[in-house]
Amino acid sequence: MDAAATDYAVLGGSVSVTSGFTAEDRPAGSQPVRTAHIRHVSPSYFQMLGVPLIRGRFFTEHDVPNSQKVMIVNEAMAQKLWETVDVVGKRISSGDIKDTKDWTVVAGVVANIREAALGSKPSPEFYFPIYQSGPGALHLIVRTAKDPAALTSLVSRQVWAADKDQPITHVMTMDNLIRGQIGDTRMNTLLLNFFGAIGLGLALLGVYGVVAYSVSRRTREIGIRMALGANPFDVMRMVIRQGLLLASIGVAIGGAGAVALKKVLQNNFTVANTNDVTTYLVAGILVIVVACLACYVPARRAMRVDPMVALRYE
């Protein structure tokens, strides 16, 4: 069993924000960073969550109030401030740049993670060791190979063994936390898939009906061609080719519309893979196949009609 602590819960939806800081040796002409997220974490926080270390080191138990003030920045913050991840040893001040006593040294750079919410984009973040400037209230994170729900009472007893007056609230597993985060998105996605399937079915039915009706109206033309000696299979190929031409135009227009709407999906469905070429291909192939059937069935039926009957067809 591993444990770590942080002042703001992972995927808790809230985080501390700062705007008063100055970075050392910033590139000339770089864009200003107006705000950044701040977290105070224990030394084992990144290792327990599996956050990759890009440069430098993680926090240790030696990062205490009397030692050099250190911080870890995420990749987004390093790129924003210095336009590179090679920033170990750089310094940041929370006050006036002339106040050298207030410098904090960058000890490491970690990968970007979504800590506030699954749907949020990674933001520039500072991490500080809780042993140096940690807050009073903390969120305890525990990782176990066993069922976490069965260990909640054990964890609570361990905390009370250290401090019997320590209140414990909002105990939940990571699975429950993630389900709460994606509940609305999952429901919206299911509804989108359901109505999308209905829409595709209606579209295929409509394509079949329109093409079949158009071909059936050509029964007289087919009869004339056959009476004049046309090969039945040549007539069928002609009918299918003309029907597929119209269907292909419709697929091209629909595909262009789907690509144009992908921004809407990206803004409202964070888990949607709007660049899934396979989905576009499958939908287009379905329409083409249905169009082939819509041409083939009535054309086949018309070719079986006696040419004299077809000539009298109204």
Side-chain angles (χ1 to χ4, degrees):
M1 181 184 296
D2 300 321
T6 176
D7 53 347
Y8 286 91
V10 178
L11 300 180
S14 61
V15 68
S16 179
V17 179
T18 183
S19 58
F21 58 89
T22 304
E24 180 184 45
D25 298 333
R26 292 199 63 194
S30 59
Q31 297 295 322
V33 180
R34 303 189 185 280
T35 60
H37 292 173
I38 293 180
R39 286 183 183 270
H40 297 83
V41 301
S42 65
S44 58
Y45 178 80
F46 299 107
Q47 297 96 315
M48 201 194 71
L49 292 182
V51 181
L53 179 68
I54 298 177
R55 296 287 190 280
R57 66 172 177 87
F58 290 124
F59 295 136
T60 69
E61 285 75 8
H62 301 291
D63 296 318
V64 294
N66 295 329
S67 64
Q68 169 65 55
K69 295 171 64 176
V70 294
M71 68 167 59
I72 290 176
V73 299
N74 68 347
E75 188 176 3
M77 175 58 75
Q79 293 288 352
K80 282 281 188 179
L81 289 179
W82 293 286
E83 300 178 358
T84 177
V85 295
D86 295 316
V87 299
V88 175
K90 299 287 187 182
R91 299 187 299 174
I92 294 178
S93 173
S94 60
D96 193 327
I97 194 171
K98 297 179 181 179
D99 185 5
T100 57
K101 296 181 181 179
D102 200 36
W103 285 114
T104 301
V105 178
V106 176
V109 181
V110 295
N112 298 327
I113 59 175
R114 294 177 173 86
E115 293 188 283
L118 289 176
S120 64
K121 294 182 179 180
S123 302
E125 289 196 79
F126 293 127
Y127 298 92
F128 294 94
I130 59 174
Y131 295 155
Q132 281 191 341
S133 55
L138 291 173
H139 292 267
L140 182 64
I141 308 170
V142 179
R143 183 178 67 183
T144 175
K146 300 180 179 179
D147 181 13
L151 298 178
T152 54
S153 60
L154 175 60
V155 172
S156 299
R157 287 197 300 270
Q158 292 297 319
V159 173
W160 287 326
D163 184 357
K164 62 183 179 62
D165 297 323
Q166 177 65 49
I168 299 176
T169 59
H170 299 95
V171 179
M172 66 176 62
T173 65
M174 185 60 72
D175 287 341
N176 291 335
L177 187 61
I178 292 176
R179 277 196 291 267
Q181 283 273 326
I182 65 176
D184 291 342
T185 301
R186 178 178 293 176
M187 179 59 67
N188 291 338
T189 303
L190 288 175
L191 289 175
L192 180 68
N193 290 335
F194 175 73
F195 288 113
I198 292 178
L200 179 61
L202 292 175
L204 296 179
L205 184 62
V207 168
Y208 180 88
V210 171
V211 176
Y213 175 75
S214 175
V215 174
S216 65
R217 294 283 295 176
R218 303 178 64 183
T219 301
R220 183 181 180 85
E221 174 192 343
I222 294 173
I224 294 175
R225 290 179 180 273
M226 294 180 64
L228 294 176
N231 187 303
F233 294 101
D234 290 337
V235 173
M236 179 178 292
R237 281 196 296 269
M238 177 197 69
V239 173
I240 292 177
R241 184 173 61 250
Q242 293 175 350
L244 288 182
L245 175 62
L246 296 177
S248 299
I249 294 174
V251 168
I253 296 174
V259 172
L261 287 174
K262 71 178 182 179
K263 281 293 184 182
V264 177
L265 293 178
Q266 288 174 336
N267 293 334
N268 293 279
F269 300 91
T270 56
V271 297
N273 183 3
T274 55
N275 292 318
D276 188 359
V277 178
T278 303
T279 302
Y280 297 143
L281 289 177
V282 169
I285 290 173
L286 278 175
V287 174
I288 296 297
V289 169
V290 170
C292 285
L293 292 175
C295 295
Y296 173 80
V297 173
R300 181 75 174 175
R301 185 171 56 246
M303 287 191 307
R304 291 178 178 177
V305 177
D306 183 89
M308 296 306 297
V309 175
L311 292 175
R312 293 194 298 269
Y313 178 80
E314 292 293 337

